Amino acid sequence: MYDALKQTFDRIVPLSDADWAFALPLFKYVEYKKGELILQEGEVHHHTIFVIAGALRIYNFNGNKESIRNIFLENSMFNESGSYFLKKPSLFNIDAIEATKAFIMHRNDAEVLFSHSIQLATLGRRFVEYALATVVERNNELTSLDGKARYLKLLKEKPHIFQRVPQYMIASYLGITPEALSRIRKEIAG
């Protein structure tokens, strides 16, 4: 399991054996059952999650309508950034779409980790940059692309998601109704 974590991190910033020896004990391996609630709205999110296998989602409710902010598959890392960085109650929930294997790291351990060496500090900075870029990209998609364009982008970037995630969740992620998703898929299939 640690190999997948190491490969993911080494793509971001190659770490020395000494840095890995320091880092590994700070990660906690966890398994989530399908449907398991990991974070409930109103709780403070203290962990960054590194998905090794499976699928997680972050979402909230607008009235009784579920709105999925993002879906995370293998080799993804994330936290509920607003809650994590500001130490405020979350406006979102996180749960497992599939049985999921992951590593988590508590915010306090991350602070220790990223102060240990220049390479680890660079890794931490890149994580924050990635998180910010992901939020900005997602917001741009929702405000500048129509439902069909968002669908085509998702199909291009994560084609395997359609076999793993229920269609109603994909529709919610795309910001459209399941009926609109069905129409888009029929139109594209021609």
Side-chain angles (χ1 to χ4, degrees):
M1 282 298 165
Y2 284 104
D3 289 342
L5 182 69
K6 188 176 186 314
Q7 288 173 2
T8 299
F9 285 10
D10 281 344
R11 283 193 301 269
I12 300 167
V13 175
L15 298 177
S16 69
D17 290 341
D19 280 341
W20 270 111
F22 182 81
L24 287 180
L26 300 175
F27 291 96
K28 179 183 175 191
Y29 175 75
V30 294
E31 292 186 4
Y32 301 113
K33 296 176 181 155
K34 180 178 179 177
E36 184 174 346
L37 187 63
I38 299 162
L39 176 73
Q40 186 169 0
E41 180 181 349
E43 298 175 343
V44 176
H45 194 217
H46 297 289
H47 293 91
T48 296
I49 302 171
F50 305 92
V51 179
I52 302 302
L56 303 176
R57 67 180 175 150
I58 184 167
Y59 64 99
N60 65 355
F61 291 95
N62 295 323
N64 62 355
K65 182 183 172 198
E66 183 179 279
S67 178
I68 296 178
R69 185 170 91 184
N70 216 329
I71 296 171
F72 300 95
L73 304 175
E74 291 81 12
N75 301 315
S76 297
M77 63 170 192
F78 74 102
N79 53 41
E80 201 288 88
S81 302
S83 178
Y84 181 88
F85 290 113
L86 300 175
K87 301 176 185 173
K88 291 184 173 183
S90 178
L91 301 176
F92 295 91
N93 302 288
I94 299 172
D95 70 10
I97 298 171
E98 300 175 339
T100 300
K101 297 176 182 180
F103 288 99
I104 60 172
M105 180 179 284
H106 193 278
R107 177 185 30 251
N108 295 340
D109 290 331
E111 289 174 9
V112 169
L113 179 72
F114 300 140
S115 66
H116 182 71
S117 73
I118 292 294
Q119 287 79 17
L120 289 169
T122 301
L123 181 67
R125 188 189 78 237
R126 296 243 171 99
F127 286 161
V128 172
E129 290 168 352
Y130 173 80
L132 178 60
T134 300
V135 169
V136 169
E137 181 179 14
R138 177 78 173 128
N139 287 339
N140 286 341
E141 285 175 15
L142 290 172
T143 58
S144 65
L145 300 178
D146 65 15
K148 182 178 178 182
R150 289 193 298 270
Y151 172 81
L152 291 170
K153 185 176 188 299
L154 183 62
L155 186 62
K156 179 181 176 184
E157 293 177 357
K158 298 179 184 178
H160 52 286
I161 200 170
F162 294 93
Q163 285 74 48
R164 297 176 56 191
V165 176
Q167 295 303 301
Y168 77 92
M169 287 186 188
I170 290 174
S172 174
Y173 171 74
L174 293 172
I176 60 178
T177 65
E179 295 78 19
L181 176 59
S182 181
R183 282 192 298 275
I184 290 168
R185 293 181 75 180
K186 285 178 185 174
E187 178 185 326
I188 291 170

